[in-house]
Amino acid sequence: MPKGEKKKVVVIGVGFGGLQAIKKLSKEEDLEIIAIDKKNHHLFQPLLYQVATAVLSPADIAIPTRSLIGDKKNVTVYLGEVEKVDIQAKKVFFQGHSEDYDYLILAAGAKSGYFGNDHWKKYSIGLKSLKDALSIRTKILTSFEQAELAGDPEVAKKHLNYVIIGGGPTGVELAGSIAELSHEIVRNEFHTIDPALAKITLIEASPRLLAAFAPKLSEFAKMRLEKRGVEVLTGTKVLEIDQNGVKIEGRTIPSSTVIWAAGVQANSIGASLGAPTDRMGRVMVDEFCNVEGHPEVFVIGDIANYSKGLEKPLPGVSPVAMQQGRYVASLIRGDLKSKKRKPFHYLDKGSMATIGRQDAVAQVGNFRLRGFFGWFVWLFIHIFYQVGFKNKISIFITWVWSYITFRAEARLIQDEIESNSVGSSTPN
């Protein structure tokens, strides 16, 4: 490369993968980096459920993107949504602007996917963003208030029915946290109703919860959730979601609070590449995380289907995205020095999910933890990987206070209640 000539790298999405790539590439003076994201913050998604259940505040798990990378001299940050990528012309189009690139890193993530039943979105809430988490928090907290004023026991009962669809880590963590909130934390704060009578139902279509975990850990999670009062329905398919609740074979579960944690769909921007995609919309990539025939285009994280030499694609979890982000950054830096590329290899550092206070499951290979020790490791890992020192301290203090007092202090309903909206016989 001629002296003084800089290569331009455009990174779409500053999530786990995009952030890791930018941090590593920013050390290379011969690169100009353009970061584009439709959100102005980096989000620590594994703790979204704690915002949804009023344990943490949004600022505890989100940091402004510019405060993370804006001070790096060779990084320019744009807030905007990418509408199209012209892979032939090497151009990215967003917010009425366009950027040329020498390298493209697409790390745009995923959204909730409904397996072709998009009409279910109207009656349920996914959990992929801060907006989703705050919507769930408002829905749950308002449901207590609606039940308190309902006057009709059957209407109150419907308000206090919570259905979570999807028995992966997100579904399990939500079910346990909602049970703790309703059965313990707010139990003595209402006098017309007993929040402990709230019914939490967790529905999973496959034969067991936490399918990626060892069967014994799945069974442990199920047992612990049931001990907390959660009804766990495995091997159960959802037939319909409407204004009345969730229909499964043989019955309808009445609920005005339905949370969708069953599936994801890759960000639609991946389709604009013109490359093959799987049924979830993920872009098929080769052993270098490249779109076939385009060594300058990398796709990583939830939006990528990496399955080269594997029995099944790598899961859409943060460790995969982070390792891929660092990997593609090292390839680009290697290209500048004319180094031969080596295929990506994922180092599986294990999986974990918390069930509630003093209860979690974790596994790394054949090494497994459950109960209190699993929970302690879960706490440590999530503090360790949280971005930003202030956030680490804030979360740690909040968790300690919550553990000692058994309280959740982020129980704020942001919207004002309108006349007749609380206590109405027709839940919102």
Side-chain angles (χ1 to χ4, degrees), residues 145-147 149-150 155-156 159 419-428:
E145 305 296 341
Q146 290 173 319
L149 280 175
V155 174
H159 285 306
S419 176
N420 298 322
S421 65
V422 175
S424 169
S425 60
T426 305
N428 291 329

Side-chain angles (χ1 to χ4, degrees), residues 35-286:
I36 308 170
D37 200 312
K38 60 183 179 181
K39 304 182 298 294
N40 85 323
H41 56 269
H42 171 79
L43 179 66
F44 192 77
Q45 280 193 331
L47 292 179
L48 263 179
Y49 83 95
Q50 292 207 355
V51 174
T53 53
V55 176
L56 297 175
S57 296
D60 289 329
I61 67 166
I63 301 179
T65 303
R66 292 187 183 277
S67 71
L68 291 172
I69 57 176
D71 62 343
K72 301 184 184 302
K73 293 182 179 180
N74 60 341
V75 178
T76 301
V77 179
Y78 290 125
L79 178 65
E81 183 174 13
V82 175
E83 296 110 26
K84 185 179 71 171
V85 176
D86 188 332
I87 201 170
Q88 304 302 328
K90 295 185 179 181
K91 279 182 175 291
V92 171
F93 298 87
F94 65 102
Q95 304 299 122
H97 299 271
S98 67
E99 282 286 345
D100 298 321
Y101 64 81
D102 295 294
Y103 292 98
L104 174 68
I105 301 175
L106 182 57
K111 57 186 178 181
S112 295
Y114 289 80
F115 308 115
N117 298 291
D118 287 349
H119 59 288
W120 291 354
K121 291 180 186 178
K122 182 178 179 181
Y123 305 104
S124 64
I125 311 173
L127 185 57
K128 298 298 290 183
S129 68
L130 276 180
K131 182 179 179 181
D132 292 338
L134 291 173
S135 294
I136 292 172
R137 187 179 76 178
T138 297
K139 191 76 171 173
I140 293 172
L141 297 179
T142 303
S143 71
F144 293 134
E145 305 296 341
Q146 290 173 319
E148 181 84 343
L149 280 175
D152 183 336
E154 288 303 310
V155 174
K157 182 180 177 180
K158 182 176 179 180
H159 285 306
L160 296 177
N161 274 0
Y162 308 99
V163 180
I164 301 104
I165 302 169
T170 299
V172 167
E173 290 171 342
L174 272 169
S177 196
I178 294 173
E180 194 167 277
L181 176 67
S182 58
H183 296 172
E184 302 287 347
I185 295 173
V186 301
R187 184 171 188 177
N188 297 321
E189 297 181 6
F190 293 83
H191 302 295
T192 302
I193 59 162
D194 180 3
L197 297 177
K199 182 177 181 182
I200 299 98
T201 305
L202 177 60
I203 303 174
E204 169 56 40
S206 62
R208 62 186 178 91
L209 301 178
L210 302 174
F213 290 69
K216 287 187 177 180
L217 294 182
S218 296
E219 186 58 35
F220 177 83
K222 181 175 183 290
M223 178 187 68
R224 291 295 191 174
L225 283 173
E226 289 174 339
K227 187 177 180 180
R228 285 171 161 78
V230 177
E231 181 183 16
V232 180
L233 304 176
T234 55
T236 303
K237 291 185 177 180
V238 171
L239 304 179
E240 189 61 69
I241 305 174
D242 58 24
Q243 68 274 14
N244 297 314
V246 178
K247 183 179 180 181
I248 59 176
E249 188 173 351
R251 66 175 169 130
T252 295
I253 304 172
S255 176
S256 56
T257 306
V258 179
I259 304 173
W260 181 264
V264 296
Q265 188 76 16
N267 191 304
S268 59
I269 190 60
S272 74
L273 298 179
T277 57
D278 63 12
R279 63 185 182 84
M280 294 168 59
R282 296 178 299 183
V283 179
M284 307 299 293
V285 296
D286 63 17

Side-chain angles (χ1 to χ4, degrees), residues 327-391:
Y327 166 77
V328 299
S330 67
L331 286 193
I332 293 172
R333 294 177 74 184
D335 281 358
L336 300 180
K337 301 173 177 63
S338 300
K339 290 184 178 179
K340 184 178 179 181
R341 292 185 173 187
K342 295 181 180 180
F344 173 70
H345 291 289
Y346 174 56
L347 176 60
D348 188 356
K349 296 182 179 179
S351 304
M352 56 181 56
T354 182
I355 304 157
R357 171 181 291 243
Q358 298 186 11
D359 257 336
V361 292
Q363 68 176 36
V364 181
N366 293 323
F367 182 69
R368 290 154 194 171
L369 287 171
R370 65 184 191 180
F372 177 79
F373 290 109
W375 179 72
F376 185 80
V377 171
W378 181 92
L379 292 175
F380 174 79
I381 292 296
H382 281 71
I383 288 289
F384 180 80
Y385 280 106
Q386 172 63 48
V387 177
F389 180 75
K390 174 183 173 294
N391 291 55

